[in-house]
Structures are given as structure tokens and as C-alpha cells.
């Protein structure tokens, strides 16, 4: 028997055959498969972890048993060589002497004596792949099915692996009449779910493009089969005759099916009258081969399909075309006519050179970078639709490995000198410059950074600035970071233009430079905001040099009038100061305050008071900034002196980090108030203070809330007299209400800005799919439940909505990977416990409410899951383990277990619940054979197995058996299902592919509650809602002594607005920490003020996260026009363009009624 080794147990010796002897016990095919399986291990050996996963298949074997098996396979070494793997596998699985000695030594493996593990998968038991199944039932080869799948992956929606209407239109490229395209889509959409899956695509292509010619023609009748009964009624025939232009004398389709025409009747008529159907049949062949990816079965067929497609599509008004060399195209047709294979596409004859091309210096981020030869003549090239170009690439490849594709747009006359629509043969070549990222040694920015080439692109001149910026962000992986484009007038010098109008196209920019068409080159600066400091390099350049920043929007005729308008001036952001700029722009719209600071006499009063105080210095610098803004001599200003004053006079804002706009506005108002109050106090001393004893006596007199509010307000005004107080200060009432006797006490507090909660409630949104046992389409319900709700409460509300008794509902939670949420290991029931909190469900999980059978107890039902066991496409070692991949899919089912249940009843119960999404008839149009497993009379298309909680391994057999599940026989014998054993529905491969309708299985009706709860949960908040929530009672945690109750009682605190100021600043608390999700949430806002009382004059908007992001401002000008003020950029916008949903700070002015 050859070599022996130490097994590791008491130095016992087990006989092992040599690798040479092992080969005599297996076939050459088996040896080849084991050898190929071993070659996938990169290190040329198998370590312990690889052994457990690939050889033992991840089975839940005890650690000591895994170690023992590994030691046996490795012959005591740390890794397993191929010879050791081969000798061990063959010895354990094929040689009885080795098996008996191994079992004798290791009694734990005694069960292997009855049925040792499989060595490799026997060829006759090999798993039938999907490609083989589809080839078996159609007229297509396995290779053709595989090729179709590759094309399908490129044209379908990758999220669902299906072809929807939009993707279908994209695949057809606008080359076919819309009505015909829509009808043909319905022909492919066999199950009428408005999507085409790959199975439908393959079967329909086979029916239309392969097989007997009469059968192909017959399928065209389905274009007019509106009711999908595979028969044509009189109305459908009438529509067909009209579409095909058939004269009355030839309208002779036989009606052999109870007054209706069968598909075969149409086929017979069409063969006799082929001239009427030829166009429709030709377009079907073109779509099948060119657009959907089926390779023509002959050179003759390819020539016919391509000629007809080119002839029909040449005059179509398509927006995109591909340019192909005329020389190759002529050679292509000649070779096809001679029944010879065409050469790869060769566009070298029309390809230009790379001389003076930026692609040799930097990377190209556009899809194409190749140039066409200059001054091409129409005879040098032909234009073809994009679908045909892609088909040629699939069929014949390309002679040039790079720069072989020329996709060009067909543009309107406005983009050309002669004002005639034409093909844009020579797109614009863009060179993107970036700022040199090198800093000084100490990390400071003292000199403007130089510009260096970053990337290039070849794009159409019809592309907009926003589209080009999106391309840059995607291809250069800038993410959602702040970036913007500038038009470079002269490199490394001043005068660049900020492209802040996203709708402006590149042609407008190019012509503005005054360049000729033959140059077709333009330089743009791609500016990226520094993440750490928030600095815009170009704004820093402007700040250091004192130069102006020019925005493209200000150059347009619509915004040219902004020049010289008071207040319509941008503020340069050179240090993460967008929060300051937005706050200043909003506060500057408060006319009385701005006018006060613009007048010399008031500034003189401040200076006389004390110019060395911090608040006075801040106020003076703010007044200077306002004067510069209102002088409007510049388009934008670098507020260096003001920012220096803020840095020197505030500990909070001394750094260049991102801060909160509301906090900055509050700080600035406080500085303004303090300076004004102190100046006023110096020039106009306040009256003597009231004697405290007398004031205390007045307080002992019981006052109404009105009297208390008036006294409190009067006292506050005396102590805080300033213009800021007059304009911005309001009054709040804080009431404490005893929850026992309802007595209350009030305190009145001033405020300058009102912080309102927005949108957050202590509820979560849940959507539950209710699955009935009768197989009807499941129904989804929506619920908004408190965050501390439990399973029991969810069952209660589901029962009330669905009409199912609560005692007959079980809640099951399925993860995004198809795994059911595990219950407590000590709980024998399949039901989730009522006390389990809903917050314990994983993110993205689906909730199911499954109806239980009638008259069943807690242990008289099981959850069944669909399971697909498939072999890898790689070779396999142990067929019972590593050869399988377990995939769970579909809806969970409930299987009832009464005391007399039989295997047959279980199978029938499962079939009954699945009848909705089972295909019960063979598709006649697929022209395929009928498989026995598709007929219910010959058995069931699946096997029911007893499995573990993960639905992967057997729930009964020991782990060493490597059993995937013990099958339940579909007979009349009574079955016993252990209490803790779920059931897996294992599908036969062919039945799964051909009979299981995944679209129908996934179908779900939405109850009105889904839309209602969704809209309520995510609806933008109104200002009234925010104020209402602000005034909601809040129960205090600590008890407070109540004079009336003469004990400590629980109090409710109620905040209400008592007095509103002239200018109301509202701060929306958009961010709230969601503990369960560990993140900051953000809600939208819609402003709906009472226009008769308050009018919004400015907004500060925030975009991004709390710790970063960007602030901008919208503000009304003196002419009552809205302005968008984004740092240095200022442009006029309509009221509809004001983004009120992004509002963070709102400034309102009260319009007093005269």
C-alpha cells in the first residue's frame, strides 16, 4: 500500500497510498479536475483555512475534528501538497483498506463506513448550467447564450439585471419607429411585468431569429396581440391590416380558433403575402442581431441585416453617430459578399496624429481622445448609428488597440459658422489646469500658487459647464467635494473668469475667446477647495493680490445690470469663511441697521466711546465693509480687515475651521449691541436704578402674565437699550404646568434669534409585506411606530390593517442577503418573540408578516425558504461540500404541520402557495423541447429538505456527514419534523430556470398606507409645523415643589412666543443625532410664512454635513429682486429659483399694517 504516516493520535500509524497508486483508482477526467482545482491555490499548497473552506466546504465540524482531518491530509505538515491531497482523497473515498483503518482509528468517523464522501462530481451527476438549459430549450448554442449574456449585462439595468423600457430604447438607439419598438418590447416581455429578463430575451430571440422560417414569421403576429392570448381578434386583425397597408382583397387571414386567428394562421398568410410583412420582419432581425447581441448565423445573414439597417438608418435624425473609414467599409461588404470573414475594423485611414495633443502630457478623462485627420472629405468616411458600431466591435473587433473609436454628435446650426446643422467632426479639446499643491515650509499661504496641467478631455461644444464639472468629479474621483471651473484667459496671470453659470455651454465660452474653429482648444482651471482649511486657491490669490474676481454670470446681459448696484457685491472666501460671508450678506439686508452703520455721525459716537474695546473694533470694521459693499465699485471684495478683527476679538472664530453661521450671526449681533449700548450709556446716562427692596415689594403683588411680561420687557429695555434690541429682540414665555393640579408659573425671557426644531420625531418608518397562504399577490403596508416599539405591537397593527387575526400572524425578518433573522437559541418556536424590539432589526432588512394555517399551535408550523444548490464553475474537490454554493431567494413560506401530515401534503401545500408565480404551460414560441420536470403529473419541481437555522446544512445529520439537508419523501407516509428544524425548498435546475417566474414572485401591491406614511415621514416641514413643535409640552425629569399640591410633582415645560421683533431671525435645527444609527440626520424645510405679517428678506443655506459643507445666501436687493450670493459670485435669480428647502437661517421683516 506504500507510504505510512503518523496520524497524531498516540503515534498510531495509518496506511496511505502513494500518489502514483492513487491515479490507478480514478479516471483521467477525475484526475484532471482535481489537478485544476488545486491550481487555483496561488501558493502551490493548501493551508488550514483554505482546507476548511474549499475541501470541507465550511461545514460546522468541531475544531478538533477539522484539525485531525487536516493533519491526515497534510501528513503532519503545515500545508497540503498536491500529492498528499490526491493520496488522502483517493484513500478515504475509494480504497476500502484505507477507509477501514481510518475509521478503526477514529471512531467519530464511523458513519463514513456506510457512505464515504464523494471524491469529485461524477460527470453524469454534474450540475446543468443555466447556459446549457437555455441552449437545450432553444435553437441557440451554449456559446451564443454566453455571448448574449455579456451583451445583456451592458444594456440592462444592473440593479435588477433586467431590461426596462428606458434601457430598451437606449439599446435600440432611436433607430426604429417608436410604435414598433414599444410593440416589440411587449413581445419580449412574456410575463407582462414591463421588464425583460434574460430568459425572456433568449427565448424570444430564438423564436424570431432562429429555427424554421414559418415559425419565425408566426411570432410577428404577437406584435398585434394586445390581450396576449396568442390569438388575433377581429379588432387586432384590423389594426394589423392597417399597419401593414394590406388592401381589402388580401385581408384573408384564416380564423381557425373560434372566430380568431391563431399564430399559425398568420404565419401561413404571411408566407403567401410576404411583401407586406417584409419590413416588420426585417426590423425584428436588425434589432435581434445588431441591438440585442445575437451573432448572425451566416455571412449572408450578416450582410442582409447590416445593409437593410444602414439603408433605413442613414437618414434618421440621430444625435450621435460613429465615424468609420470608407475604405474598411467597402472591404467589409466585399468580403461578406464573397462569404469570407471580414477583417477587424480599421480606422487608421481617418485617424489624425497626436502632434500638439495634450493627451501626451496628461491623462484624458473623456471616453475618447483620438483625433480625426484635419480637412476630411465626405468620401473619406461614413457615419453609422452607435448600435451598429457596437455590433461590429462584438463580431469583428478592431485593428487598432487604442484611439480607434470616433463618436460624434449631430448639432444644430448655432454651433457652426454657416448656421447649418452638421456632424461635429472636431470636438473641443480641453486642458484642465490645477493649482500646484506645494505649500511653504511653515504651511502658510503667502504667495499665489502656480497652475500646472492636470488632465485633458475631448468633449462636444454643446456640453454645459455643469456637465463638464460632473465629468471631472467622476473621473478624477473628487466625490462631492467642492470644485468649480474657471476659464483661463492667460495662464498664471490674473483675469480668469469663474464659470458660475452651469447652463452655459462650451461653445459660448469658446467663441468668447475669439478663436478660430481650426484650433478647437481651450484651457480651463479646475479649482478644488482645500479640505483642511476650506480655502479656495483663486480667492486666496485675489485676496493676496487685491485683484477682482470676475464671474461669467456678471458678464451676461441679464446680470450686467448688477454692476454698481449697492449691496450686490460678492465676498471673497480665502479661509473657510463661507459661514461668515453668508451671515454678513443676510444681516446686511436689515435696512435700519445697515443705514445706521453707513452714517458717519453714528460711527463717530462709537469712536468717541472707546475704540480700543473689542466690540467697537468689530463694529467699526463691519461698518467699513458695509460701506465698501454699498459703494459697489467692485464686483467682489476681500474682507481682510474685517476677518482680522474677528480673529483678534473672538476666541471662537480665531481659527480657519468651518463654523456655524447661526453662531457667527449671534456673535456679530452681540458685538454690535454691546458697542451701541456702551456708546449710548456714555453719551446718555441711564436713569437711577430702582431700589431693590421696593422692587421686591412689587414682586410680592400677584401679577397676570400680561403684567409680568410688560414689567420684564421694560426692565430689559432699560438695561439693554440699543438699535439691535429694537430691531431683533423678542420675548418668550416659559410656563411650568403641574401635571397634578394644572397650576402654572411663567417666566419671560428675551431672544434675538429663534431656534426651532425641524422634522424630527421619535418614530421610525416600517414597511411590512403581508403574505397570505392562498398565494394571492402580497400586500405591503406602511406604519410609523415609536422607536421603542416591539414585535408584539407590530403584529397588532398589521392584524388591524390586513384583517388577519393576530394569533395567525408571524413576523419574519429577512436580511438583504436573504437570511432570516435568528431567534433566541433557547426559544424552540419559529416565531420571533413579541418582546423583541424592532430596533434590533438590521439596516435594510425586509419585514414579512406571514399568515399561519388555521387550527395550528405554536409548534405546528415551520418557515420554508427557497434554496438553490449550484456547483461552482470551477473544478471541485469534495462534491458534497465545496462543489455547492447555497443561494436563498424568494418569499418565505409557512408550512403547516398537523398531527396527521404526510410528505405529499407538505409538497402540495408548498405548490399551492406558489401557484401564482409558477409557469404552468410551455411557451409555444420558444420552439424548445418539453422537459419532464415541467409537468406536475411526473412529480414536483423541487425537493423539501430538513435544514439548520441558516438553511445551509442538514438539521439532523452530524456535521461529519456533510449533508446539505435530509429530503422529505412526497408520499402518503406520516412525516416527523423536529421542533427546531426549518424546511428548505430545493429546486431542480431546469425547473427553476423555466418554471419559476421571479418577476411574479417579487410582485407586491402597495397599500395606500405606504405612500401616506412615506410622505408624512419624509415630507418637508412648514414653518407653522416647526413653531408648533417648538411649543409642544416637554415633561421635566426632576420633580418640583408645588404650592397648591404641597408636594413635589412632575411639571410640563411649555415655551411660547409672546412678543415678536421687527426683524425675526429663525434658526432651523436641521441636525439631530440619531442614536440607533450613529449619524447626524438632516431634514428639508419649506418656508410658508404669513405674507401679510412677515416677509422673508434673506436666507442662509447649508449644504453638506454638520462638520463640513458650504454656506450660501439668498437675499433681496434694494430693488426687491432676489440675489444668489455664493462667496465671490453674485447673480440675480427668480423667486422660484430660491432654494428654500436648504434654508438654515431665515431673516424676516415685519410689514406693519398702516
Amino acid at each position: 500500500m506504500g507510504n505510512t504516516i503518523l496520524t497524531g493520535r498516540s503515534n498510531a500509524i495509518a496506511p496511505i497510498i502513494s500518489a502514483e497508486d492513487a491515479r490507478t483508482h480514478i479516471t483521467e477526467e477525475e484526475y484532471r479536475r482535481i489537478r485544476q482545482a488545486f491550481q487555483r491555490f496561488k501558493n502551490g499548497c493548501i493551508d488550514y483555512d483554505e482546507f476548511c473552506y474549499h475541501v470541507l466546504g465550511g461545514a460546522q465540524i468541531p475544531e478538533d475534528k477539522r484539525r485531525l482531518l487536516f493533519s491526515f491530509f497534510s501528513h503532519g505538515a503545515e500545508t497540503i501538497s498536491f500529492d498528499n491531497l490526491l493520496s488522502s482523497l483517493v484513500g478515504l473515498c475509494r480504497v476500502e483498506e484505507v477507509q477501514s483503518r481510518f475509521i478503526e482509528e477514529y471512531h467519530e468517523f464511523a458513519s463514513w463506513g456506510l457512505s464515504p464522501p464523494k471524491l469529485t462530481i461524477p460527470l453524469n451527476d454534474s450540475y446543468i448550467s443555466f447556459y446549457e438549459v437555455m441552449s437545450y430549450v432553444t435553437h441557440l448554442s451554449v456559446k451564443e447564450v454566453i455571448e448574449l449574456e455579456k451583451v445583456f449585462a451592458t444594456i440592462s439595468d444592473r440593479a435588477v439585471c433586467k431590461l426596462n423600457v428606458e434601457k430598451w430604447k437606449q439599446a435600440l438607439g432611436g433607430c426604429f419607429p417608436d410604435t414598433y419598438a414599444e410593440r416589440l418590447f411587449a413581445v419580449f416581455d412574456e410575463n407582462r411585468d414591463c421588464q425583460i429578463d434574460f430568459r425572456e430575451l433568449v427565448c424570444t430571440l430564438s423564436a424570431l431569429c432562429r429555427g424554421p422560417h414559418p415559425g419565425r414569421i408566426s411570432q410577428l403576429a404577437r406584435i398585434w396581440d394586445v390581450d396576449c392570448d396568442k390569438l388575433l381578434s377581429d379588432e387586432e386583425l384590423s389594426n394589423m391590416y392597417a399597419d401593414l397597408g394590406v388592401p381589402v382583397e388580401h385581408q384573408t387571414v384564416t380564423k381557425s380558433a373560434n372566430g380568431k386567428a391563431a399564430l399559425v394562421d398568420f404565419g401561413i398568410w404571411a408566407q403567401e403575402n410576404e411583401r407586406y410583412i417584409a419590413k416588420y420582419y426585417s426590423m425584428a432581425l436588425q434589432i435581434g442581431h445588431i441591438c440585442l447581441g445575437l451573432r448572425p448565423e451566416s455571412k449572408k445573414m450578416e450582410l442582409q441585416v447590416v445593409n437593410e439597417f444602414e439603408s433605413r438608418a442613414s437618414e434618421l435624425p440621430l444625435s450621435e453617430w460613429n465615424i468609420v473609414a470608407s475604405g474598411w467599409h467597402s472591404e467589409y461588404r466585399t468580403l461578406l459578399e464573397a462569404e469570407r470573414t471580414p477583417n477587424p475594423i480599421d480606422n487608421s485611414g481617418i485617424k489624425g496624429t497626436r502632434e500638439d495633443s495634450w493627451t501626451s502630457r496628461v491623462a484624458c478623462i473623456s471616453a475618447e481622445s483620438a483625433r480625426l485627420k484635419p480637412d476630411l472629405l465626405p468620401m473619406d468616411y461614413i457615419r453609422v448609428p452607435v448600435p451598429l458600431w457596437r455590433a461590429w466591435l462584438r463580431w469583428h473587433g478592431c485593428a487598432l488597440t487604442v484611439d480607434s473609436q470616433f463618436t460624434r454628435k449631430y448639432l444644430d446650426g448655432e454651433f457652426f459658422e454657416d448656421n447649418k446643422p452638421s456632424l461635429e467632426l472636431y470636438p473641443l479639446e480641453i486642458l484642465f489646469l490645477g493649482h500646484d499643491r506645494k505649500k511653504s515650509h511653515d504651511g502658510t499661504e503667502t504667495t499665489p500658487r502656480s497652475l500646472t496641467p492636470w488632465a485633458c478631455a475631448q468633449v462636444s461644444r454643446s456640453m454645459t459647464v455643469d456637465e463638464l464639472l460632473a465629468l471631472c468629479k467622476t473621473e478624477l474621483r473628487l466625490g462631492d467635494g467642492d470644485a468649480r471651473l474657471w476659464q483661463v484667459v492667460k495662464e498664471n496671470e490674473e483675469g480668469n473668469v469663474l464659470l458660475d453659470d452651469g447652463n452655459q455651454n462650451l461653445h459660448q465660452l469658446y467663441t468668447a475667446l475669439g478663436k478660430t474653429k481650426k484650433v478647437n482648444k481651450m484651457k480651463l482651471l479646475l479649482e478644488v477647495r482645500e479640505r483642511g482649511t476650506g480655502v479656495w486657491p483663486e480667492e486666496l490669490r485675489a485676496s493676496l493680490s487685491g485683484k477682482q474676481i470676475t464671474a461669467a454670470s456678471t458678464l451676461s446681459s441679464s446680470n450686467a445690470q448688477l454692476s454698481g448696484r449697492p449691496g450686490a457685491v460678492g465676498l471673497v472666501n480665502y479661509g473657510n469663511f463661507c459661514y461668515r460671508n453668508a451671515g454678513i450678506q443676510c444681516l446686511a439686508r436689515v435696512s435700519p441697521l445697515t443705514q445706521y452703520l453707513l452714517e458717519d455721525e453714528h460711527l463717530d459716537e462709537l469712536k468717541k466711546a472707546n475704540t480700543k474695546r473689542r466690540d467697537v473694533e468689530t463694529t467699526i470694521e463691519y461698518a467699513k465693509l458695509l460701506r465698501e459693499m454699498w459703494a459697489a465699485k467692485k464686483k467682489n471684495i476681500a474682507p481682510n480687515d474685517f476677518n482680522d478683527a474677528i480673529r483678534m476679538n473672538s476666541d471662537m472664530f480665531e481659527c480657519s475651521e468651518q463654523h456655524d453661521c447661526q453662531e457667527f450671526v449671534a456673535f456679530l449681533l452681540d458685538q454690535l449691541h454691546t458697542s451701541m449700548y456702551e456708546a449710548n450709556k456714555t453719551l446718555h446716562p441711564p436713569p437711577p436704578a430702582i431700589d431693590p427692596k421696593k422692587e421686591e415689594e412689587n414682586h410680592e403683588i400677584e401679577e397676570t402674565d400680561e403684567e409680568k411680561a410688560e414689567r420684564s420687557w421694560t426692565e430689559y429695555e432699560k438695561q439693554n437699550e440699543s438699535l439691535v434690541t429694537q430691531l431683533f429682540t423678542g420675548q418668550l414665555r416659559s410656563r411650568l404646568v403641574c401635571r397634578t393640579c394644572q397650576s402654572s408659573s411663567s417666566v419671560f425671557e428675551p431672544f434675538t434669534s429663534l431656534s426651532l426644531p425641524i422634522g424630527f420625531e421619535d418614530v421610525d418608518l416600517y414597511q411590512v409585506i403581508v403574505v397570505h397562504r392562498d398565494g394571492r399577490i402580497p400586500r405591503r403596508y406602511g406604519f410609523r411606530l415609536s422607536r421603542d416599539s416591539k414585535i408584539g405591537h407590530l403584529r397588532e397593527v398589521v392584524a388591524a390593517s390586513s384583517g388577519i387575526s393576530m394569533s395567525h400572524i408571524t413576523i419574519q425578518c429577512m436580511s438583504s442577503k436573504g437570511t432570516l433573522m435568528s431567534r433566541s437559541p433557547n426559544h424552540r418556536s419559529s416565531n420571533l418573540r413579541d418582546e423583541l424590539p424592532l430596533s434590533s432589526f438590521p439596516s435594510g432588512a425586509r419585514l414579512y408578516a406571514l399568515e399561519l394555517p388555521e387550527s395550528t399551535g405554536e409548534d405546528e408550523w415551520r418557515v420554508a425558504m427557497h434554496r438553490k444548490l449550484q456547483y461552482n464553475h470551477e473544478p471541485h474537490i469534495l462534491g458534497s461540500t465545496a462543489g455547492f454554493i447555497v443561494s436563498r431567494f424568494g418569499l418565505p413560506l409557512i408550512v403547516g404541520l398537523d398531527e396527521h401530515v404526510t410528505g405529499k401534503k407538505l409538497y402540495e401545500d408548498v405548490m399551492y402557495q406558489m401557484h401564482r408565480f409558477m409557469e404552468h404551460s410551455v411557451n409555444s414560441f420558444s420552439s424548445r423541447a418539453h422537459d419532464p420536470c415541467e409537468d406536475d403529473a411526473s412529480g414536483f419541481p423541487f425537493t423539501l429538505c430538513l435544514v439548520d437555522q441558516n438553511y445551509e446544512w442538514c438539521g439532523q445529520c452530524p456535521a461529519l456527514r456533510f449533508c446539505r439537508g435530509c429530503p422529505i419523501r412526497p408520499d402518503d407516509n406520516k412525516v416527523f419534523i423536529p421542533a427546531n428544524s426549518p424546511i428548505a425548498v430545493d429546486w431542480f435546475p431546469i425547473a427553476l430556470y423555466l418554471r419559476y417566474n421571479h418577476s411574479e414572485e417579487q410582485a407586491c401591491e402597495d397599500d395606500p398606507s405606504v405612500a401616506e406614511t412615506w410622505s408624512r415621514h419624509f415630507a418637508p416641514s412648514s414653518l407653522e409645523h416647526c413653531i408648533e413643535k417648538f411649543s409642544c409640552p416637554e415633561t421635566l425629569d426632576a420633580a418640583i415643589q408645588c404650592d397648591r399640591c404641597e408636594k413635589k410633582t412632575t411639571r410640563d415645560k411649555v415655551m411660547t412666543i409672546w412678543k415678536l421683533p421687527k426683524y425675526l431671525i429663525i434658526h432651523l435645527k436641521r441636525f439631530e443625532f440619531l442614536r440607533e444609527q450613529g449619524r447626524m440626520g438632516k431634514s428639508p424645510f419649506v418656508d410658508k410664512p404669513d405674507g401679510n405679517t412677515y416677509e422673508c428678506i434673506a436666507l442662509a443655506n447649508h449644504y453638506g454635513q454638520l462638520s463640513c459643507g458650504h454656506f450660501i445666501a439668498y437675499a433681496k436687493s434694494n430693488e426687491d429682486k432676489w440675489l444668489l450670493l455664493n462667496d465671490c459670485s453674485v447673480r440675480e435669480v427668480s423667486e422660484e429659483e430660491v432654494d428654500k428647502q436648504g434654508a438654515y437661517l431665515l431673516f424676516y421683516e415685519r410689514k406693519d399694517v398702516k
Side-chain angles (χ1 to χ4, degrees), residues 1020-1088:
S1021 300
S1022 65
L1023 186 58
E1024 290 87 345
H1025 175 74
C1026 296
I1027 295 176
E1028 179 184 345
K1029 186 165 186 181
F1030 173 78
S1031 302
C1032 287
E1034 175 188 0
T1035 303
L1036 303 180
D1037 295 331
I1040 300 176
Q1041 182 69 29
C1042 177
D1043 295 337
R1044 181 181 295 180
C1045 298
E1046 297 183 347
K1047 63 178 181 179
K1048 290 186 176 182
T1049 60
T1050 304
R1051 298 292 182 100
D1052 284 340
K1053 180 179 179 181
V1054 183
M1055 299 292 294
T1056 53
I1057 303 172
W1058 187 266
K1059 178 182 179 65
L1060 285 170
K1062 170 70 174 177
Y1063 288 89
L1064 175 63
I1065 302 176
I1066 293 180
H1067 165 228
L1068 298 175
K1069 297 195 289 187
R1070 287 181 163 274
F1071 296 94
E1072 176 194 50
F1073 185 73
L1074 306 178
R1075 292 186 180 88
E1076 294 79 5
Q1077 301 179 26
R1079 63 177 178 82
M1080 302 301 294
K1082 188 173 181 182
S1083 292
F1085 174 81
V1086 171
D1087 167 37
K1088 295 181 180 178

Side-chain angles (χ1 to χ4, degrees), residues 988-1044:
F988 300 145
I990 295 181
L992 177 63
Y993 292 139
L994 301 180
R995 294 204 52 196
Y996 191 94
N997 191 323
H998 291 271
S999 298
E1000 281 296 323
E1001 178 267 326
Q1002 295 172 2
C1004 184
E1005 296 177 346
D1006 278 350
D1007 185 76
S1009 61
V1010 173
E1012 178 186 348
T1013 54
W1014 180 274
S1015 61
R1016 285 181 57 196
H1017 200 73
F1018 296 104
S1021 300
S1022 65
L1023 186 58
E1024 290 87 345
H1025 175 74
C1026 296
I1027 295 176
E1028 179 184 345
K1029 186 165 186 181
F1030 173 78
S1031 302
C1032 287
E1034 175 188 0
T1035 303
L1036 303 180
D1037 295 331
I1040 300 176
Q1041 182 69 29
C1042 177
D1043 295 337
R1044 181 181 295 180

Side-chain angles (χ1 to χ4, degrees), residues 652-806:
M652 178 184 296
F653 303 105
E654 64 178 352
C655 61
S656 295
E657 296 180 357
Q658 175 74 283
H659 287 280
D660 184 45
C661 182
Q662 185 265 340
E663 293 177 351
F664 173 73
V665 169
F667 164 78
L668 185 55
L669 283 177
D670 181 68
Q671 295 282 288
L672 297 176
H673 161 71
T674 303
S675 63
M676 294 177 183
Y677 171 72
E678 293 295 336
N680 185 57
K681 186 172 66 172
T682 302
L683 299 175
H684 309 286
I690 302 176
D691 184 2
K693 292 184 179 180
K694 188 174 182 180
E695 185 178 3
E696 187 176 341
E697 292 175 0
N698 293 335
H699 286 185
E700 293 177 356
I701 303 174
E702 187 172 349
E703 297 176 300
T704 63
D705 279 357
E706 288 77 8
E707 294 171 337
K708 191 181 297 185
E710 183 63 29
R711 177 177 54 79
S712 176
W713 181 255
T714 301
E715 293 174 359
Y716 177 80
E717 278 191 316
K718 289 179 181 179
Q719 300 173 14
N720 297 273
E721 185 177 355
S722 73
L723 181 61
V724 172
T725 300
Q726 297 173 19
L727 297 177
F728 297 99
T729 305
Q731 194 176 35
L732 295 174
R733 179 179 70 172
S734 175
R735 293 179 64 217
L736 291 180
V737 182
C738 176
R739 302 193 70 178
T740 303
C741 67
Q742 301 303 310
S743 62
S744 66
S745 60
S746 300
V747 176
F748 293 86
E749 305 169 352
F751 72 91
T752 53
S753 68
L754 195 61
S755 293
L756 300 180
I758 173 173
F760 292 104
E761 300 177 82
D762 190 26
V763 296
D764 280 330
L765 179 64
Y766 295 94
Q767 294 185 351
V768 183
I769 300 176
V770 176
V771 182
H772 293 264
R773 281 185 50 79
D774 58 8
R776 75 180 76 168
I777 296 177
R779 192 170 184 83
R780 179 168 33 231
Y781 295 85
F783 304 99
R784 297 177 77 240
L785 307 177
S786 63
R787 292 176 181 172
D788 58 356
S789 294
K790 295 179 171 56
I791 289 283
H793 182 48
L794 181 62
R795 290 177 60 215
E796 183 179 345
V797 296
V798 169
S801 299
S802 64
I804 304 175
S805 171
M806 183 176 172

